[in-house]
Amino acid sequence: MSRNPAGFQVNLNIQTKFLLSTSGSQSSIEKHNKALQQIKANLVYFTLADDITPEVYAGLLKSPMVRGAAVTGKGGLKSTIIPYLDEVEPLAKKTLAVNTVVNKAGKLYGYNTDAFGLKTALQNGIAEAGYEIRTAVIYGNGGVSGVAYHVLRELGIQATFVGRSQERVMQKRRELGLEHIAHFKGPYDLVVDATPISSDPDFLQAAHFADILAGCKMVFCHNMPEKDNKTNYLQQYCADHHLYYVPGKWMYNAQLVKQYQLYLDGYTKADDGTTPVSENDILSAWDLY
């Protein structure tokens, strides 16, 4: 049995496998491990430093003690880890973003579940708000920006990119093969914030951000400072200015279900040893209903 600094206990044996992540607060670690215990899967959730290199991370993931991992962190890890994986699904290749890795008999398979999560969040938000969303601007150039473009086009929404550094935005467009896509000016119906800017009380001072908010109907925020009991200043701004706000939690919850379906593929309930872990089991264990 192992005990973390806060006193939460996990059961370990010679058959235990680890699920790794490069992000997660103490409360998040406990939440995942409690859910895994409820499902009775012999898995333990464990976090590493977010500045780990892709080569080192992939090396750790090949260990027979590891089942899989969430890919987050600094330095564009979602993209830079791709060359170190054995197989990558087409969507993750197209968006240059792997957020989920599964170790299958020593081979690493990369997936993107963020696209499903974002599509679910935006569809729910648009349906609830009752708005017609025709145009969108993606703010940022990280791993989520490529996913966002793919999802927006799937939803029939015309999209463009803006960021604090237009040079980096253009570089991202080249990497995605979108350098030929013409930029168009706002006002935009939807702003997709793919940065951590909402944690900054002075977020409106960031280059171009105030401009893209002008005239928009809806804002999606990928960042979730509220998860760690911190203020989400962008969410506050939307409330004050009567803008429909789509929280990152909606995306996170939907993608988490897909992610754990990949991790738990082939796992059965410990009660009978034959029944596969279902989507409803995941929803219930993580309290996502």
Short mmCIF file of all heavy atoms in Angstrom, two decimals, residues 3 102 137 177 239:
data_model
loop_
_atom_site.label_atom_id
_atom_site.label_comp_id
_atom_site.label_asym_id
_atom_site.label_seq_id
_atom_site.Cartn_x
_atom_site.Cartn_y
_atom_site.Cartn_z
N ARG A 3 1.02 5.64 0.23
CA ARG A 3 0.29 6.79 0.76
C ARG A 3 0.91 8.06 0.19
O ARG A 3 2.13 8.25 0.23
CB ARG A 3 0.38 6.80 2.28
CG ARG A 3 -0.45 7.89 2.94
CD ARG A 3 -0.16 7.93 4.45
NE ARG A 3 -0.53 6.68 5.09
CZ ARG A 3 -1.72 6.44 5.60
NH1 ARG A 3 -2.68 7.33 5.49
NH2 ARG A 3 -1.98 5.30 6.19
N VAL A 102 -1.51 4.93 -25.04
CA VAL A 102 -1.78 3.63 -24.43
C VAL A 102 -0.64 2.68 -24.76
O VAL A 102 -0.21 2.60 -25.92
CB VAL A 102 -3.12 3.04 -24.92
CG1 VAL A 102 -3.37 1.67 -24.29
CG2 VAL A 102 -4.27 3.98 -24.60
N VAL A 137 -12.81 32.57 -34.13
CA VAL A 137 -11.38 32.86 -34.10
C VAL A 137 -10.76 32.03 -32.99
O VAL A 137 -11.30 31.95 -31.88
CB VAL A 137 -11.11 34.37 -33.90
CG1 VAL A 137 -11.73 34.89 -32.61
CG2 VAL A 137 -9.61 34.65 -33.94
N GLY A 177 -0.50 22.71 -42.23
CA GLY A 177 -0.81 22.74 -43.66
C GLY A 177 -1.93 23.69 -43.99
O GLY A 177 -2.64 23.52 -44.99
N ALA A 239 -19.44 36.98 -17.83
CA ALA A 239 -20.63 37.19 -17.00
C ALA A 239 -20.99 38.67 -16.94
O ALA A 239 -22.16 39.05 -17.05
CB ALA A 239 -20.41 36.63 -15.60
#
